[in-house]
Amino acid sequence: MTAAVDLWRAALARLPPGALVGSGAFADTGIDAPVWLALTRVSECTLALADADLVAERAAGHPGNEHALLLATQMVAHRARTWRDAAVRRHARTLLDAAVGPACDSPLRCAGGKVGGAGQRW
C-alpha cells in the first residue's frame, strides 16, 4: 500500500485540482483510514467523485476524524446529482449524527442555548 499512497501523493502534487475524480474508487483499498480520508479529501473531486456512495460509507465509520467530517460535508453540499446521492446523504447523516452524539439532538442545545454561539456545532 505504500507505493499506492506515494503515487497518489505524487499525483496530487503534479496534477491540477479536480484531476483525480477516479480517486473514489480507492474507497475499497486497504489504505489505512486516516491516510485514505486525508488523501480523498484533498483530492478536491467532490463534485464528480467516482463511487461517492462508497466514499461516504467508508467515511461514516470514522466520526472522530476531521477529514471524514469535512469530506461528508463537501459531498452533501456539492452533490453530483446522480442516483448515488441518496446513499451519500444517508451515510453523511450517520457520520454527522455519530460525531455530534445524542446530547446534541437540537441545534440550540449544541450551541449552548445561543444561536450562533461559540459552542455552535451545527
Side-chain angles (χ1 to χ4, degrees), residues 41-113:
R41 189 170 92 56
V42 299
S43 292
E44 299 179 25
C45 303
T46 53
L47 290 175
L49 188 62
D51 299 312
D53 54 336
L54 298 178
V55 171
E57 182 178 15
R58 184 167 179 189
H62 304 280
N65 184 293
E66 179 182 357
H67 291 294
L69 295 168
L70 292 171
L71 182 60
T73 302
Q74 288 174 330
M75 291 174 67
V76 170
H78 304 288
R79 62 181 202 229
R81 301 191 190 285
T82 69
W83 61 274
R84 295 175 188 231
D85 282 352
V88 169
R89 287 192 308 271
R90 184 176 62 252
H91 293 304
R93 176 64 187 258
T94 298
L95 172 65
L96 297 174
D97 284 348
V100 171
C104 290
D105 58 356
S106 78
L108 281 178
R109 184 171 294 133
C110 293

Side-chain angles (χ1 to χ4, degrees), residues 1 5 29-39 58 62:
M1 285 298 134
V5 170
T29 67
I31 297 172
D32 289 337
V35 173
W36 175 82
L37 286 163
L39 289 172
R58 184 167 179 189
H62 304 280

